[in-house]
Amino acid sequence: MEDPGVNGSNVVSWVASGVVLWSTAFLLVRALFPKRSYDFCNRAVSTMHAVAAVCLASLSVADWSCPVCPLAAASSPRQMRALAVTLAYMVYDAACCHLNGDTRLDNTVHHLVSIVGIGAGLAYQRCGTEEVACLFVTEISSPLLHLREMLKEFGVRDTDLNLLVDVLFAVTFSVARMGFGPYITYVTVTADNPILIKAMASGLQLVSAYWFLRILRMVRYKLGKKKPLPPPPDKLAAAN
């Protein structure tokens, strides 16, 4: 059964509690793995969030025969709770990246668009269907993203396992963000949604397209490294 209703104080409480929760999780991971880097511990927390976000997004779908329905409608309590959990994580992650000196433009834009977009959806208490669908497609590939980086810290590099994770990540990201992502952006922009929601949906899709191009270059480079090198000219001459 759904909760009877959600008010602004509920949302603020969920977000504040979530920021404390994710920050505490990071400190616990740091304590459990003192020899691991700051980035490793943050990625561990990010993986926890990705799994939680996908599960909460799935549980908030009212009708799986039309998961992106109804559009421009009032958000359900389950949708708002799922979005509040992710908004809290985005606030935590933005602060965590800043403290670690990660001020890359694409990462900063990603955090800004996500925080403003989700925050607007929670403030309007509508567009929950579109935002939860966006949450699902953007987080479904995140565990593989973080796994490929965490493997490097374990000393696993340039192996078939690395290549497998890279390819699985690239495929999952491409299908989710460049397959379903444009459709979700289209229905969000064409529905009767606030202009801020439409702008943030478009901005997130642009960030996804930029990352998609970088991923294509990465996969091309990785596959190129796996090709056997031709024998040196002197060996060819000796063979003849």
Side-chain angles (χ1 to χ4, degrees):
M1 299 233 0
E2 293 284 5
D3 298 336
V6 177
N7 55 44
S9 61
N10 292 143
V11 174
V12 172
S13 176
W14 291 342
V15 174
S17 300
V19 172
V20 173
L21 172 66
W22 296 120
S23 301
T24 302
F26 174 77
L27 294 175
L28 288 174
V29 173
R30 289 283 279 176
L32 289 172
F33 303 99
K35 295 183 179 180
R36 295 300 169 190
S37 68
Y38 186 102
D39 182 69
F40 179 95
C41 296
N42 187 35
R43 288 187 182 279
V45 175
S46 298
T47 303
M48 296 177 203
H49 163 259
V51 174
V54 170
C55 291
L56 289 172
S58 300
L59 291 172
S60 71
V61 175
D63 182 7
W64 277 101
S65 65
C66 182
V68 195
C69 298
L71 297 172
S75 302
S76 71
R78 283 187 179 180
Q79 289 171 340
M80 293 188 68
R81 191 175 291 110
L83 294 171
V85 168
T86 291
L87 177 57
Y89 165 77
M90 285 296 173
V91 172
Y92 148 80
D93 193 52
C96 210
C97 290
H98 178 74
L99 292 173
N100 195 36
D102 184 357
T103 56
R104 291 171 298 162
L105 180 60
D106 58 334
N107 206 31
T108 301
V109 172
H110 168 64
H111 283 124
L112 179 62
V113 168
S114 299
I115 290 172
V116 173
I118 296 174
L122 290 172
Y124 291 126
Q125 296 194 19
R126 55 184 295 193
C127 321
T129 300
E130 298 92 314
E131 292 207 341
V132 163
C134 179
L135 176 62
F136 184 92
V137 301
T138 54
E139 292 298 335
I140 192 69
S141 61
S142 292
L144 290 168
L145 165 66
H146 300 303
L147 176 60
R148 61 187 296 270
E149 296 299 329
M150 294 167 76
L151 282 173
K152 296 175 184 176
E153 189 149 335
F154 284 117
V156 181
R157 294 173 179 270
D158 299 323
T159 66
D160 289 339
L161 176 60
N162 293 99
L163 181 61
L164 174 62
V165 174
D166 286 341
V167 171
L168 288 176
F169 165 66
V171 170
T172 306
F173 185 100
S174 302
V175 171
R177 295 214 187 195
M178 301 309 295
F180 294 102
Y183 171 73
I184 295 172
T185 301
Y186 172 77
V187 297
T188 301
V189 171
T190 55
D192 185 23
N193 286 315
I195 188 65
L196 184 57
I197 298 295
K198 295 181 179 183
M200 294 303 103
S202 301
L204 186 58
Q205 187 57 46
L206 288 174
V207 173
S208 295
Y210 170 73
W211 283 345
F212 173 69
L213 294 175
R214 292 184 59 184
I215 289 168
L216 286 182
R217 288 197 293 266
M218 177 271 293
V219 171
R220 183 179 178 182
Y221 170 75
K222 288 293 183 82
L223 292 177
K225 286 177 64 177
K226 297 297 290 185
K227 292 180 180 179
L229 295 175
D234 56 342
K235 289 190 176 181
L236 285 175
N240 292 330

